[in-house]
């Protein structure tokens, strides 16, 4: 499976409304940088938007509850960070912009 996020789509959306970048999302994106120079460019671009702390005690507890609920319904969440990001967006009423994947 190949995944790619469209930079053009991000730019288009930023013209329509302010975008927020969560600190956890920033960490995930920066981990994928090829080298330090690439990471610096990515960070500079991400910091053009509001960067917000995503995890609090409240979000942590609600994420754990969401994990148990999903597990009880037969769904497996493989990455805790995805659960934290999703819970943050649900609780704060944010839409989640994500990458497009195809086989």
């Amino acid at each position: 499976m190949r995944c790619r996020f469209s930079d053009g789509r991000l730019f288009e959306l930023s013209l329509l409304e302010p975008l927020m970048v969560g600190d956890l999302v920033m960490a995930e994106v920066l981990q994928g940088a090829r080298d330090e120079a690439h990471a610096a460019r990515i960070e500079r671009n991400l910091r053009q938007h509001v960067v917000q702390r995503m995890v609090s005690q409240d979000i942590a507890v609600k994420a754990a509850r969401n994990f148990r609920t999903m597990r009880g319904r037969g769904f497996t969440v493989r990455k805790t960070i995805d659960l934290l990001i999703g819970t943050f967006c649900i609780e704060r009423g944010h839409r989640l912009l994500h990458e497009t994947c195809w086989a």
Side-chain angles (χ1 to χ4, degrees):
M1 179 178 289
R2 273 185 71 181
C3 297
R4 183 186 64 142
F5 185 79
S6 168
D7 293 336
R9 180 74 175 133
L10 181 62
F11 178 74
E12 289 171 11
L13 290 171
S14 71
L15 295 175
L16 298 174
E17 60 185 289
L19 300 180
M20 184 273 295
V21 176
D23 56 354
L24 296 178
V25 173
M26 181 180 277
E28 287 279 288
V29 172
L30 289 172
Q31 285 177 22
R34 292 184 299 273
D35 53 39
E36 289 305 313
H38 186 221
R41 283 193 308 277
I42 293 170
E43 182 178 353
R44 198 170 39 253
N45 289 336
L46 291 175
R47 287 190 183 276
Q48 291 178 15
H49 308 287
V50 174
V51 178
Q52 188 171 0
R53 181 175 164 228
M54 297 184 80
V55 180
S56 62
Q57 290 180 20
D58 181 53
I59 293 295
V61 169
K62 288 178 179 180
R65 185 177 302 127
N66 288 342
F67 177 85
R68 292 189 303 274
T69 299
M70 291 179 71
R71 184 179 57 197
R73 294 181 181 174
F75 296 98
T76 302
V77 178
R78 295 177 189 232
K79 294 183 178 181
T80 301
I81 195 165
D82 293 339
L83 188 66
L84 291 166
I85 292 168
T87 300
F88 173 84
C89 290
I90 291 166
E91 292 299 317
R92 301 292 190 267
H94 295 296
R95 290 181 289 161
L96 180 61
L97 183 63
H98 58 88
E99 64 190 353
T100 302
C101 297
W102 64 95

